[in-house]
Amino acid sequence: MSSAIEKKNLILRNLQEVLGEDKLDVILKERDLKIYWGTATTGRPHIAYFVPISKIADYLKAGCEVTILFADLHAYLDNMKAPWELLELRVQYYEHSIKAMLSSIGVSLEKLKFVRGTEYQLSKEYTMDMYRLSSSISVHDAKKAGAEVVKQVDNPLLSGLLYPGLQALDEEYLKVDAQFGGVDQRKIFTMSEKYLPQLGYEKRIHLMNPMVPGLAGGKMSSSEVDSKIDLLDSPATVKKKLKKAFCEPGNIAENGLLAFAKHVIFGLFEPNEKFKISRNEANGGDLNFSAYEDLEICFSEQKLHPADLKASIEFYINRLLDPIRQIFDKPELQKLVANAYPAPVKPKKTEKNNSNQQEEISPSRLDIRVGKIVEVSKHPEADALYVEKIDLGEEQPRTIVSGLVNYVPINEMQDRLVIVLCNLKPAKMRGIESSGMVLCASIENNGVKSVEPLEPAEGSKPGDKVFIESYEQGEPDKILNPKKKIWEQLQVDLKVSNLCEAQWQSNNLMTNAGKILSKSLKNVNIA
C-alpha cells in the first residue's frame, strides 16, 4: 500500500475521534507513522481487547511502526489494582495473551515491538522528567485527566495522580508520533498535549477508539464476570454468557454483539468474506452480509432475530478464541494463569472462631439486587410502614416491609426501581414476614430525618446483581447469620459519597448498567 490517502483511511477506520489530524497528513506524505498502544496489566484480558488489537492490525497494514507497551508501573499506580508481588506474573500473562490474540488474527509479530514500562520508566532521565512534569500539573488537572481511567475514590492515593503524567511522558520516551487508546483516555491525551510542550517536547497525535458495550449493555469490564468473555472461556461458557447477553430486538445503540461485529469481526475478514447468519428455511434461510451497515439495518428493522445474531457471533468468537485456547493448553501457561490470578482464599469453617482465626467479613457476602415494586400498601397494623411486593427476578415477588411512609409518598413507591438486600433472615414486622430490606440513604439533623431509597443506573432491570468494585469474585451467603452480625459489621462502611454515589469503603456499588446513586443526599449513611 503506497498511497498516503489509503494509509490514512485505514489508520482512521472505525475511530471515534482524532486529535492532530493535520500533523498525521504531513507525516504520511513523508514517511510511515510511529504509534504506540499501552495496556495496564491489571485484570485479565477479555474479548474486548480484540477491538484495539484489530486496529493494530489496521496500523500494520498501513505500514505503521507499532509499539505495544505493557504498562506494569501504571498498573501498580492505579490505586493498587495490581499488587507488586503479582505484577511480574501478570505482565507475563498479558504478553502471552496479546501475542496469542495477534496470532489468532494473523498478525506477524515480527512487525511489532513489545516494551515493558519498567524497562525505562525507572531511569534517572525519566524520573527527572516526571518531577519536572509534576511541578507544572495541578492536583485538579491530574485528577481530572485520570477521571475515566484511574480508579476514583474520595481520598485518592498520590500514586493515582501520577498515572496520567507517566502516560504523557511515554509518548516522548517511546519516540512515537501518535498514541492510540480508547476515548475514555481523552482527558489524559489533552493533558499530554498541554503539558509536554512545556517540557520542550512535541505534541503528539491521538487516535481514539469508541468504548464497546459489554454483553449486558454497559461498558465491558474485566471486573464484572457477566459483562465479558474471557480469552480462555470454553465454548460452553461462551454459549452460556451469550445466552444472557443483552440483545433487545431492533436496539442497535446498546448492543455489544453488534459493536463487536463492527469493530472486530468485519475488520478481520478476508477479501470477499461475508458475515453469515445460519437459519433454517422456516425462519427465512441463511443471510450473508458483505458490509456491517447492512447487518445493522437488518437488525434494526427486526428482520434478524437476536437468537440468530447470537448464534453467529458465538461462531466467530470461538473462531478467534480457539487458537488462544490451544496456546494456553500448555501446563506451564496454565500454571502461569493460576499464579497471576489466584483464586480468593476462603476461610476454613470451624466450630468456633478465635482471635487468631477470624471469619472473613467481605461485602461480597451480601446478596444485593435491583427490584421493582409491583404492589405497595400501608401496613394494616403500623402507620409508618409500607408492605411492598417486589419483583427481584425470581418466580414470585417478595414481600418486604419498609418504614418509608413518612419519607416517600405511596404513589412514588409504586413501580419504582429500588436496591434490595436479599439475604437477610426473614423476620416478622408487626405480624407480616419481611424477606429483605430496601436500602436507603439516611441522615438525621436536629431531630429531622431525611431518607431516600437508593436508585439503580438507567437501564437496570429487576433481578440485576449489584456488585461492589474490587469485591466482585465472592459468593453471597444464602442467609446472613444474624448471630454473627455480618450485616451490621458491613453496614457501618456503607456510605453515600459527596457525588451521591453509593459506596462501601469508597468502592462503588454497581450494576452492569452503572453506579447506584441517591437522589440528592450526600455524605450520609446507607441503611
Side-chain angles (χ1 to χ4, degrees):
M1 180 180 292
S2 56
S3 165
I5 294 177
E6 289 178 311
K7 289 182 179 181
K8 180 182 176 181
N9 289 339
L10 199 50
I11 289 169
L12 301 187
R13 178 170 71 167
N14 286 336
L15 293 181
Q16 181 166 326
E17 188 176 359
V18 178
L19 300 177
E21 189 171 342
D22 292 345
K23 187 173 182 178
L24 175 64
D25 292 331
V26 173
I27 292 174
L28 290 178
K29 289 177 181 178
E30 300 174 354
R31 58 174 173 82
D32 290 326
L33 191 71
K34 297 178 181 178
I35 185 171
Y36 103 86
W37 171 68
T39 178
T41 50
T42 52
R44 288 172 61 160
H46 45 79
I47 60 165
Y49 274 67
F50 274 109
V51 177
I53 291 299
S54 62
K55 274 309 299 176
I56 287 170
D58 282 346
Y59 298 145
L60 292 169
K61 291 175 186 176
C64 300
E65 295 180 27
V66 180
T67 297
I68 292 181
L69 171 66
F70 295 115
D72 49 354
L73 187 56
H74 292 68
Y76 180 69
L77 291 176
D78 190 359
N79 282 301
M80 299 297 289
K81 277 186 180 178
W84 195 259
E85 61 272 15
L86 293 181
L87 267 175
E88 173 59 28
L89 294 171
R90 291 188 178 180
V91 169
Q92 292 179 42
Y93 177 70
Y94 265 69
E95 186 164 346
H96 283 291
S97 296
I98 300 298
K99 288 180 177 179
M101 294 174 74
L102 291 165
S103 298
S104 171
I105 63 176
V107 175
S108 172
L109 302 183
E110 295 177 4
K111 301 177 182 179
L112 289 166
K113 181 180 180 182
F114 295 90
V115 177
R116 298 185 186 197
T118 47
E119 291 176 17
Y120 65 91
Q121 290 165 348
L122 301 177
S123 68
K124 177 181 177 181
E125 295 78 13
Y126 190 96
T127 302
M128 287 303 299
D129 269 345
M130 192 61 203
Y131 283 137
R132 290 171 61 203
L133 195 61
S134 63
S135 69
S136 301
I137 302 174
S138 68
V139 171
H140 173 271
D141 283 0
K143 190 171 183 179
K144 179 181 177 182
E148 296 186 51
V149 179
V150 180
K151 182 179 177 183
Q152 298 298 295
V153 295
D154 284 340
N155 188 24
L157 298 174
L158 178 60
S159 59
L161 300 180
L162 296 176
Y163 185 115
L166 266 71
Q167 190 166 337
L169 285 178
D170 290 339
E171 296 178 347
E172 174 64 25
Y173 278 78
L174 292 172
K175 302 301 177 185
V176 296
D177 306 306
Q179 184 179 173
F180 165 59
V183 74
D184 60 333
Q185 299 185 59
R186 190 184 194 281
K187 292 175 182 176
I188 292 181
F189 294 161
T190 55
M191 188 200 78
S192 302
E193 294 185 4
K194 177 181 178 181
Y195 287 103
L196 276 188
Q198 295 184 23
L199 272 61
Y201 298 142
E202 290 184 18
K203 182 166 66 173
R204 266 58 180 197
I205 301 163
H206 293 105
L207 310 170
M208 285 167 271
N209 248 1
M211 302 308 294
V212 174
L215 299 180
K219 178 181 176 182
M220 192 177 292
S221 166
S222 59
S223 65
E224 177 53 26
V225 175
D226 287 338
S227 79
K228 56 95 179 183
I229 292 173
D230 190 87
L231 297 179
L232 303 182
D233 276 347
S234 67
T237 301
V238 171
K239 181 182 287 292
K240 180 180 178 182
K241 289 183 177 179
L242 287 177
K243 188 175 181 180
K244 295 181 180 179
F246 178 76
C247 191
E248 184 179 45
N251 185 344
I252 61 174
E254 301 172 330
N255 194 315
L257 304 179
L258 285 176
F260 191 79
K262 176 180 181 180
H263 293 284
V264 178
I265 297 172
F266 275 86
L268 299 176
F269 276 163
E270 296 293 332
N272 301 319
E273 188 175 1
K274 297 180 180 181
F275 186 93
K276 184 177 181 180
I277 302 285
S278 297
R279 305 189 301 189
N280 58 42
E281 292 300 326
N283 291 329
D286 294 349
L287 293 172
N288 292 281
F289 299 94
S290 299
Y292 167 76
E293 291 74 17
D294 296 332
L295 172 64
E296 184 179 281
I297 291 170
C298 185
F299 189 83
S300 68
E301 295 176 349
Q302 299 192 35
K303 296 177 181 178
L304 173 61
H305 193 277
D308 293 323
L309 176 62
K310 288 183 179 184
S312 292
I313 295 293
E314 179 186 345
F315 167 79
Y316 289 110
I317 285 177
N318 281 319
R319 190 169 77 171
L320 288 170
L321 296 186
D322 278 342
I324 301 173
R325 294 178 185 128
Q326 292 175 20
I327 290 171
F328 275 86
D329 200 34
K330 300 173 183 176
E332 61 270 24
L333 291 184
Q334 292 180 359
K335 182 179 179 182
L336 172 62
V337 175
N339 290 336
Y341 296 94
V345 178
K346 293 184 178 180
K348 294 181 180 179
K349 292 182 179 180
T350 58
E351 291 185 6
K352 279 189 177 181
N353 288 324
N354 55 46
S355 59
N356 296 320
Q357 189 174 12
Q358 295 292 328
E359 184 176 17
E360 183 184 25
I361 306 298
S362 166
S364 61
R365 297 178 67 173
L366 303 178
D367 181 4
I368 305 176
R369 292 180 239 160
V370 175
K372 181 178 181 180
I373 299 175
V374 295
E375 183 182 322
V376 60
S377 60
K378 288 188 176 181
H379 195 297
E381 301 296 331
D383 292 340
L385 300 179
Y386 284 131
V387 179
E388 305 128 1
K389 298 288 187 181
I390 301 182
D391 176 8
L392 290 159
E394 300 170 324
E395 289 186 6
Q396 298 292 332
R398 286 198 194 193
T399 298
I400 294 177
V401 179
S402 304
L404 295 172
V405 170
N406 296 327
Y407 309 104
V408 185
I410 193 167
N411 63 304
E412 292 183 16
M413 293 290 287
Q414 183 66 42
D415 297 324
R416 183 184 191 128
L417 288 180
V418 290
I419 305 301
V420 180
L421 177 63
C422 298
N423 59 342
L424 287 176
K425 185 176 180 180
K428 285 194 175 182
M429 298 182 70
R430 301 293 292 270
I432 295 179
E433 187 171 81
S434 179
S435 299
M437 176 190 294
V438 174
L439 296 182
C440 300
S442 175
I443 188 171
E444 186 168 347
N445 284 322
N446 299 321
V448 178
K449 190 173 184 180
S450 299
V451 179
E452 293 178 354
L454 296 179
E455 300 178 350
E458 185 177 352
S460 299
K461 56 187 183 298
D464 281 355
K465 176 184 176 183
V466 175
F467 60 92
I468 297 172
E469 288 182 322
S470 304
Y471 296 90
E472 298 91 342
Q473 301 303 318
E475 288 294 323
D477 291 12
K478 187 173 182 180
I479 294 291
L480 296 171
N481 190 333
K483 293 182 180 179
K484 296 182 178 181
K485 298 190 178 299
I486 297 167
W487 163 240
E488 289 78 4
Q489 293 180 67
L490 291 168
Q491 184 185 4
V492 295
D493 290 313
L494 281 169
K495 310 283 185 181
V496 175
S497 74
N498 60 358
L499 297 177
C500 295
E501 298 166 337
Q503 299 179 333
W504 187 84
Q505 292 188 355
S506 297
N507 297 285
N508 288 321
L509 273 67
M510 309 273 293
T511 68
N512 286 333
K515 298 176 182 178
I516 306 301
L517 304 170
S518 66
K519 185 176 181 180
S520 63
L521 294 180
K522 303 177 181 179
N523 298 316
V524 300
N525 295 321
I526 294 174

